[in-house]
Amino acid sequence: MEETRRRTLHGRRRGKKLRLGQRSLLDTLLPRLTLAVPPPPGRIDLAAAFGGRLLPDGVWLEVGFGAGEHLVWQAEQHPEAGLIGCEPYLNGVAKCLAHIERAGIGNIRLFTDDARLVMAGLPARSLTRVFVLFPDPWPKTRHHKRRFVQRETLDRLAELMVPAGELRLATDDPSYLPWMVEHAVTHPAFEWLAECPSDWRDRPADWPATRYERKKLAGRPTFLRFRRFG
Ligand SMILES: C[S@@+](CC[C@H](N)C(=O)[O-])C[C@H]1O[C@@H](n2cnc3c(N)ncnc32)[C@H](O)[C@@H]1O
């Protein structure tokens, strides 16, 4: 895992200098919300992580939540779910903490490193929903191996998701779109839920725009929903 991580996690950890309030949230609120991930082969204790709360809607994972708009929105809309957000970029984490504090949300846990460390420690069939929204596109062919969506990542997600669980992928990158669709559609554990183009071209009502999406950096955003067979 360490080697995989070194090979593919190339994003920034820090951007511009954090404001005092952001530093204070990282020092005080983050430790209370941080998901404990034991070193392999340890398993994450989800019951302990969510304070022994009953989670009728299960545990959801968002990979690379950026500044956390989508994560916080989903947590507010689904108080019966426990959400795990992974994001190594600390300026984004600080913004997410501010949203969480403002909204007074209690069902989010954060991990400020590579999501694959969390994925390695989660028990099988523990995730009801997974979101990978606008992952870094790595458009150059020689960088495609750095893309988060890969066969090995989907294999692991297939183990972690419950039958009929939902995987949501989004991109606005014209070369990542066919890559994502091909990897997920050809994976034996996943079924694409789209029946017509508007199913992936139009934003579903329960899918708020992310900060990255609003910047409109590449092409048109696409919204891909897959169901875990089972
Ligand atoms: C293009 S940004 C999109 C952020 C957010 N999803 C949005 O749409 O605004 C991709 C994010 O994924 C994060 N990221 C990249 N690799 C990751 C990994 N292995 N685990 C968790 N986050 C990752 C980066 O730090 C970055 O913030």
Side-chain angles (χ1 to χ4, degrees):
M1 167 45 75
E2 260 312 298
E3 200 193 316
T4 314
R5 181 166 168 262
R6 267 199 301 275
R7 184 156 44 88
T8 51
L9 186 63
H10 297 273
R12 294 183 299 168
R13 290 280 294 173
R14 282 173 194 278
K16 65 179 181 194
K17 195 166 183 283
L18 294 164
R19 293 193 303 275
L20 195 60
Q22 292 180 313
R23 283 211 304 275
S24 148
L25 284 172
L26 287 171
D27 290 342
T28 56
L29 184 54
L30 180 60
R32 285 192 268 135
L33 300 186
T34 292
L35 181 74
V37 179
R43 281 281 162 262
I44 296 168
D45 183 344
L46 288 173
F50 289 99
R53 281 181 55 197
L54 247 186
L55 296 170
D57 289 344
V59 176
W60 301 10
L61 172 72
E62 182 165 342
V63 173
F65 60 72
E69 303 86 357
H70 174 272
L71 181 71
V72 170
W73 188 92
Q74 293 291 0
E76 279 188 294
Q77 301 299 312
H78 301 279
E80 308 281 349
L83 283 88
I84 299 172
C86 302
E87 175 53 67
Y89 182 52
L90 288 177
N91 297 61
V93 174
K95 290 199 172 93
C96 182
L97 288 168
H99 293 307
I100 292 174
E101 189 182 51
R102 225 176 3 250
I105 290 170
N107 57 335
I108 291 181
R109 298 294 175 267
L110 300 177
F111 184 69
T112 60
D113 204 330
D114 192 331
R116 285 163 309 155
L117 298 170
V118 170
M119 287 162 55
L122 282 169
R125 297 189 169 212
S126 57
L127 296 176
T128 311
R129 281 198 183 193
V130 177
F131 307 93
V132 186
L133 309 182
F134 304 94
D136 297 311
W138 297 111
K140 291 184 182 147
T141 307
R142 69 172 188 279
H143 291 152
H144 284 179
K145 57 183 177 297
R146 297 180 181 177
R147 288 177 164 172
F148 190 83
V149 176
Q150 301 283 350
R151 175 63 190 231
E152 89 182 304
T153 323
L154 294 179
D155 284 346
R156 182 64 187 145
L157 288 177
E159 289 166 0
L160 293 178
M161 291 176 70
V162 298
E166 192 172 317
L167 168 65
R168 292 187 172 191
L169 306 177
T171 186
D172 61 355
D173 184 88
S175 85
Y176 209 169
L177 174 61
W179 169 285
M180 271 182 182
V181 171
E182 191 189 330
H183 277 76
V185 164
T186 58
H187 195 288
F190 294 104
E191 170 192 24
W192 195 12
L193 292 173
E195 287 172 1
C196 60
S198 64
D199 287 345
W200 55 273
R201 285 190 183 149
D202 298 344
R203 168 192 310 291
D206 63 345
W207 192 325
T210 66
R211 174 170 302 229
Y212 180 88
E213 179 192 334
R214 280 197 222 104
K215 288 185 186 164
K216 295 190 172 33
L217 294 178
R220 182 182 170 151
T222 48
F223 310 94
L224 310 173
R225 297 170 57 227
F226 300 88
R227 179 179 170 275
R228 168 75 172 96
F229 278 121

